[in-house]
Amino acid sequence: MRSDRDATPSHACRMRHGILDGVGTLVLFGGRSEIGVATAARLAAGRHVVLAARRPDDLAAESTTMTAAGAASVHRVAFDADDVESHPELIASIVRDHGPIDIAIVAFGILGDARRAETDATHALQIAHTDYYAQISVMTPLAVALRAQRSGTIIAFSSVAGVRVRRANYVYGSTKAGLDGFASGLADALHGSGASLLLARPGFVIGEMTRELMDSGVSPAPFAVTADQVADAVAKAYRKGRGEVWIPGVLRPMFFGMRLLPRALWRRLPR
Ligand SMILES: NC(=O)c1ccc[n+]([C@@H]2O[C@H](COP(=O)([O-])OP(=O)(O)OC[C@H]3O[C@@H](n4cnc5c(N)ncnc54)[C@H](OP(=O)(O)O)[C@@H]3O)[C@@H](O)[C@H]2O)c1
């Protein structure tokens, strides 16, 4: 349940009901993320967009996408998810320079090499650092800023990989399980503050992140979707004021059932 639904009508509420549609600032952490860019494009119209990414000078295509989507302005800032010390000041500077954050899309992440992560602790820790530790590092100061504004929505990307962790990608899956728990708790903590969090749980997405996997011969999981399908569902959920969205929706009952599968069967699933 979205936290701002029962609160005093906030900036975020009024935005969603069209009273202030198309104003405010949208920040995309992971400014080159395929899912992040597709989602931001659906919400950019009339908003000031800040693309936060490594190599901020190399965001021409993403900037053009935002302008074509009707963004009021597009800005680029340097952002390294792994440089956790820098996050509080980065978020404070975005608010100082561009005003209150209306939507923060947190879409950075790495899939990593699942096989390598089973034996190479450095690689496993790298996945955990970017996909869990750094997510907390970004979302915590974001929540502080949104609480102070009494408005704004964080859009976080979990995955069905974290709903019940599979043998085939248990390092990545475990980071998503942790992130999912963190984001769910944060959504509850924001309840009544005027700020909110929308948690997206996509299944397998055919795209940039999974390209290497598919090139190695792994075929997409059942009910695979594209980044555009994820973005459509997330933008719709945002506009409806929802707190969670599964993409596609059928994965919700499916994973409810999968949670009940005996371990002996679960561990034999190929992926
Ligand atoms: N694709 C899927 O199958 C799938 C399924 C469920 C959930 N998700 C989640 O959805 C989110 C978006 O995924 P996606 O498919 O859009 O992936 P993507 O296209 O591979 O984008 C991931 C982005 O994360 C950025 N990133 C990685 N490490 C970073 C760091 N240290 N600092 C700053 N940026 C960093 C990358 O930046 P660079 O361009 O600089 O490398 C890249 O632009 C991720 O959290 C992912 O786990 C994806």
Side-chain angles (χ1 to χ4, degrees):
M1 189 68 76
R2 276 296 267 286
S3 59
D4 56 3
R5 187 167 276 159
D6 309 326
T8 314
S10 62
H11 183 78
C13 264
R14 285 178 290 146
M15 293 274 313
R16 230 168 273 121
H17 290 97
I19 300 164
L20 290 173
D21 199 27
V23 298
T25 295
L26 181 157
V27 189
L28 172 58
F29 293 91
R32 227 173 274 109
S33 145
E34 192 178 12
I35 293 174
V37 170
T39 305
R42 280 152 179 80
L43 300 171
R47 295 193 162 101
H48 300 287
V49 174
V50 180
L51 300 173
R54 299 185 283 203
R55 309 180 306 284
D57 293 338
D58 180 20
L59 287 166
E62 293 75 13
S63 300
T64 304
T65 301
M66 295 307 136
T67 306
S73 62
V74 186
H75 309 268
R76 310 165 188 196
V77 296
F79 162 66
D80 183 345
D82 294 326
D83 181 10
V84 294
E85 304 280 308
S86 67
H87 297 161
E89 175 48 28
L90 173 67
I91 288 157
S93 73
I94 291 172
V95 174
R96 261 198 319 272
D97 295 346
H98 305 287
I101 297 173
D102 179 33
I103 305 173
I105 303 174
V106 182
F108 62 85
I110 56 171
L111 188 58
D113 178 332
R115 281 284 165 200
R116 183 177 155 208
E118 289 187 15
T119 52
D120 178 346
T122 305
H123 186 53
L125 287 172
Q126 177 58 65
I127 298 169
H129 197 275
T130 305
D131 292 345
Y132 181 57
Y133 195 75
Q135 304 273 336
I136 294 175
S137 174
V138 168
M139 282 192 244
T140 300
L142 265 177
V144 170
L146 268 51
R147 266 202 186 98
Q149 297 169 191
R150 300 191 54 76
S151 68
T153 302
I154 297 171
I155 299 179
F157 284 94
S158 175
S159 165
V160 296
V163 174
R164 185 168 182 187
V165 175
R166 279 164 299 150
R167 188 256 168 272
N169 68 348
Y170 66 83
V171 175
Y172 173 81
S174 73
T175 71
K176 288 301 187 188
L179 166 65
D180 199 291
F182 174 82
S184 302
L186 176 56
D188 288 339
L190 289 174
H191 186 85
S193 72
S196 58
L197 186 145
L198 167 59
L199 182 55
R201 294 192 186 101
F204 190 100
V205 181
I206 300 167
E208 276 314 309
M209 184 173 264
T210 52
R211 193 169 313 284
E212 218 172 286
L213 201 61
M214 291 185 292
D215 286 350
S216 73
V218 173
S219 51
F223 303 107
V225 286
T226 62
D228 280 329
Q229 287 172 303
V230 175
D232 281 340
V234 172
K236 190 170 165 196
Y238 169 78
R239 293 202 173 95
K240 286 191 166 175
R242 297 211 194 288
E244 283 182 9
V245 57
W246 296 66
I247 311 116
V250 67
L251 292 179
R252 185 181 186 171
M254 212 175 112
F255 268 79
F256 182 82
M258 282 191 175
R259 277 199 185 113
L260 307 174
L261 264 189
R263 191 88 182 255
L265 279 180
W266 183 252
R267 79 164 64 94
R268 288 199 190 98
L269 285 189
R271 46 205 305 287

